[in-house]
Amino acid sequence: MTAYEFILIEKPAPGVGVVRLNRPQALNALNAGLMREVGAALRTLDADDSIGCMIITGNDKAFAAGADIKEMFGTTYVDMFMKSSLVSGFDFAPIGKPIIAAVSGFALGGGCEMAMLCDMIVASETAVFGQPEINLGILPGGGGTQRLTRAVGKALAMEIMLTDRRLTADEALRYGLVNRVVAIESYFDEAVALAQKVAGLSQVAIRLTKDAINKAYEATLHEGLEFEKRNFYLAFGTEDKAEGMQAFIEKRKAQWKHR
């Protein structure tokens, strides 16, 4: 197995792969090396046929408290433009399998952006979300201005990013940023249970559905409907479609082949 410096890989349940951010001394602050490792680990798990769903998490105190400011201090425009910078790692689009963020404690700046890169978010009751980059004289660079606005709306996104307002876990749930809020003692177990449920279904149908939902963020309604229709038709060419419908008719549990 690949040796990582900034993350840990876990497989807590059948079908579930976990990428755990592991810079506790820095509240899991994101640096370029960590982002490269996260990307590499996700690609490895995505290619693993035994994994159907992935989780990104940190620890109880911090999912990720932001970017590593010491790494960014002194960095110039040319450095950011010419080199593989931190923000270049904020792209999970090539990952086909669903990703769940299990968030506790601080999810600020790049940490909030990383959580929003995931397909679902399970938060502990202590989770705090925010984009405090304005305090550093910069703005979010890992998708915060775009994904947070789509998640909570323009007015609230403006307040969060222009005034460093933080969202509690309950507020994040109310505004639609997270799927559910769970006690700190069980938020990770809840994320694993959710991941197991996803992993236990037809992986072909899961991927087609994820792609169609993500298309809604990038296309007009007409384009999205056409994409959905295409994926719907594609599903009818799979063995899982035949098995799923046969199992329904026979009143039994489907035995998915993932093809």
Side-chain angles (χ1 to χ4, degrees):
M1 180 177 289
T2 304
Y4 294 106
E5 181 179 359
F6 302 116
I7 64 173
L8 301 172
I9 303 300
E10 304 167 11
K11 294 183 179 180
V16 179
V18 175
V19 178
R20 185 178 295 275
L21 310 184
N22 189 37
R23 297 189 72 207
Q25 74 286 356
L27 295 176
N28 291 330
L30 310 178
N31 59 20
L34 181 147
M35 293 303 296
R36 283 194 296 270
E37 290 187 0
V38 168
L42 290 176
R43 290 191 294 272
T44 298
L45 292 171
D46 199 36
D48 186 340
D49 290 339
S50 71
I51 299 298
C53 189
M54 293 169 278
I55 296 171
I56 297 179
T57 193
N59 55 49
D60 289 352
K61 188 174 183 180
F63 177 74
D68 191 328
I69 307 305
K70 292 179 181 179
E71 182 180 73
M72 290 194 298
F73 182 75
T75 302
T76 67
Y77 165 78
V78 174
D79 293 333
M80 296 293 286
F81 184 73
M82 296 298 291
K83 298 178 181 178
S84 178
S85 67
L86 171 68
V87 296
S88 64
F90 284 88
D91 180 14
F92 292 175
I95 306 301
K97 295 171 184 175
I99 308 170
I100 299 169
V103 178
S104 185
F106 299 114
L108 304 176
C112 185
E113 291 172 309
M114 178 178 282
M116 291 189 294
L117 279 170
C118 299
D119 301 301
M120 292 177 276
I121 302 176
V122 174
S124 91
E125 58 198 356
T126 69
V128 179
F129 298 87
Q131 299 286 165
E133 289 88 349
I134 198 74
N135 296 322
L136 301 173
I138 58 173
L139 69 154
T145 63
Q146 305 303 302
R147 292 189 177 92
L148 188 61
T149 303
R150 284 167 167 79
V152 304
K154 176 185 174 182
L156 183 55
M158 284 284 189
E159 184 177 356
I160 291 168
M161 286 180 269
L162 298 185
T163 72
D164 187 20
R165 174 179 170 179
R166 311 287 172 88
L167 294 183
T168 66
D170 286 338
E171 287 176 321
L173 180 64
R174 186 186 320 146
Y175 293 118
L177 183 61
V178 307
N179 292 75
R180 61 196 68 173
V181 176
V182 186
I184 191 171
E185 296 82 9
S186 55
Y187 78 97
F188 180 71
D189 291 340
E190 182 77 8
V192 171
L194 180 59
Q196 278 190 286
K197 187 170 185 178
V198 172
L201 299 170
S202 165
Q203 293 306 298
V204 179
I206 288 287
R207 185 167 299 203
L208 289 172
T209 303
K210 173 180 171 174
D211 286 348
I213 292 172
N214 283 334
K215 191 70 173 181
Y217 280 92
E218 304 166 358
T220 65
L221 177 59
H222 174 74
E223 291 168 336
L225 289 171
E226 289 299 310
F227 188 85
E228 178 191 77
K229 186 187 299 181
R230 187 206 71 168
N231 280 15
F232 181 68
Y233 292 162
L234 283 173
F236 276 71
T238 68
E239 293 183 30
D240 279 354
K241 171 265 179 187
E243 166 62 12
M245 292 190 176
Q246 188 69 34
F248 177 83
I249 292 169
E250 296 176 357
K251 295 182 172 58
R252 61 174 174 81
K253 186 175 181 179
Q255 301 298 313
W256 305 116
K257 299 179 180 179
H258 308 303
R259 57 179 185 264

